[in-house]
Amino acid sequence: MADVLDRFRLGGKVALVTGASSGIGRAIAEALASAGASVVLCARREAALEEARDAISKAGGAAASVTGDVGKRASLASLAEAAAQPFGAIDIVVHAAGLNHRQSADDITDASWDEQIEVMLSAPFFLSRAF
């Protein structure tokens, strides 16, 4: 009987993970790499992003990084193009970028609301469409 995990092997696949410099995004990037995918990590914080990329590479995974802000809609097409450079066409996109303005509903400004919507709702749609 084959190991059930064999069905989840991702050798030959390329994954892009946004928000990959820390937290859930980093954990997902590490898991995809351990399943055999080549992983392109994307985040705003370059130093943290490079550290995450280097950790995956040191563990034997194929990893590259692209610094970018998914909250800037105008940059999503160029981000998608840059993400496809290291390993080729992207097969898997995981949108783990997020932000949380810890405010009560009465204190959330229009700008804060718009920023959260852009990063957590608009970016996944427009970045996916760019591919």
Side-chain angles (χ1 to χ4, degrees):
M1 177 178 265
D3 183 350
V4 71
L5 292 179
D6 289 336
R7 296 179 187 194
F8 293 96
R9 299 289 175 225
L10 296 174
K13 300 294 183 186
V14 180
L16 169 67
V17 181
T18 67
S21 63
S22 63
I24 293 170
R26 180 170 174 170
I28 291 170
E30 290 171 348
L32 290 167
S34 71
S38 297
V39 182
V40 180
L41 295 84
C42 176
R44 294 178 298 165
R45 297 176 295 136
E46 188 170 4
L49 185 62
E50 290 174 354
E51 193 277 323
R53 178 202 62 212
D54 293 347
I56 290 171
S57 295
K58 188 175 182 179
S65 59
V66 175
T67 304
D69 184 349
V70 298
K72 308 252 185 275
R73 190 179 306 184
S75 69
L76 293 178
S78 61
L79 191 146
E81 186 177 317
Q85 294 304 309
F87 304 115
I90 303 294
D91 301 298
I92 302 163
V93 179
V94 177
H95 298 283
L99 52 91
N100 183 2
H101 296 290
R102 297 179 193 279
Q103 300 167 305
S104 70
D106 292 336
D107 294 330
I108 294 175
T109 64
D110 290 354
S112 174
W113 177 260
D114 291 343
E115 182 183 30
Q116 291 182 68
I117 294 298
E118 192 66 29
V119 169
M120 296 172 20
L121 292 177
S122 297
F125 173 77
F126 289 107
L127 184 57
S128 294
R129 189 168 78 173
F131 287 108

